[in-house]
Each structure stands twice: as structure tokens, then as C-alpha cells.
Amino acid sequence: MADQVYGRAEAVDKERELLLNKDLTGHDQAASGTVTVRALTLGYLRDIELWHRLKTGLGVDATIYGYPSELDRTYGDFPVSFHAFVRLRWGQPHTMGGHGGGMKGM
């Protein structure tokens, strides 16, 4: 069994008015301006063996978000999301040489 810890950080500019109203109708993109929304995700995955031909993993992660305080009335002052998932893989694992059997003939 293998344990994996992973993370992801991202920042994206979104239309302010769209985030404030959560409404796509009547939205004037040029008039609203943008705000930067940031997210930080940390997760854990554990490989488990259920069947020798199917590589299975169970995982969880949590994401926290950051944005200007003007969006607090819509999203709260500390939004967090949690996810639990199952990963399924089948077939042969990839080799360091890439797809199709590695670096034969080199």
C-alpha cells in the first residue's frame, strides 16, 4: 500500500458582479470589474488492493478559499469545501520512458 499527500494552489480573476449575484442574466461584464479568488487544496490518498487487476485508492481533501471581503455576504467569511473520492485504475502502469513500452532500441 502507498500513501500520497498532495496539494494545489491557484488564483483566478473572476467577474465581481457575477460572484456577488450568482446570476448570469443581465450581466454587464465590462462594467463590473474583476476580483481575485484564491484556493488552497490539501489532500491524502491511500492505495488499497481490492482486486489485482484494478488499482484502487481512497482519498479525501479540503480546500480553503480567499477573496476580497466584499464577497463575504454571499460566500461567508471562511468558506471551506471537503471531498471524499475513490480512484480506480486498470491496465499496466506507465514506465519512465513514456507510453508504449519505454525506451526500447535506444
Side-chain angles (χ1 to χ4, degrees), residues 6-87:
Y6 62 91
R8 175 184 170 127
E10 59 185 301
V12 64
D13 290 332
K14 293 287 192 175
E15 296 298 323
R16 174 183 285 111
E17 194 65 29
L18 181 63
L19 292 175
L20 284 170
N21 297 318
K22 298 183 180 183
D23 183 10
L24 293 173
T25 60
H27 174 62
D28 182 6
Q29 196 173 42
S32 70
T34 60
V35 294
T36 301
V37 178
R38 295 169 310 283
L40 176 63
T41 302
L42 295 174
Y44 171 79
L45 175 68
R46 179 163 184 104
D47 290 330
I48 60 173
E49 188 170 333
L50 295 177
W51 187 47
H52 71 282
R53 291 183 174 235
L54 186 64
K55 307 298 181 201
T56 308
L58 298 176
V60 295
D61 64 33
T63 302
I64 57 174
Y65 301 89
Y67 46 76
S69 60
E70 67 187 284
L71 298 176
D72 284 352
R73 69 184 169 106
T74 306
Y75 296 97
D77 58 358
F78 191 72
V80 179
S81 64
F82 299 96
H83 304 98
F85 59 92
V86 175
R87 184 198 64 204

Side-chain angles (χ1 to χ4, degrees), residues 95-104 106:
T95 61
M96 291 202 35
H99 302 287
M103 301 177 67
K104 294 180 182 177
M106 294 192 136

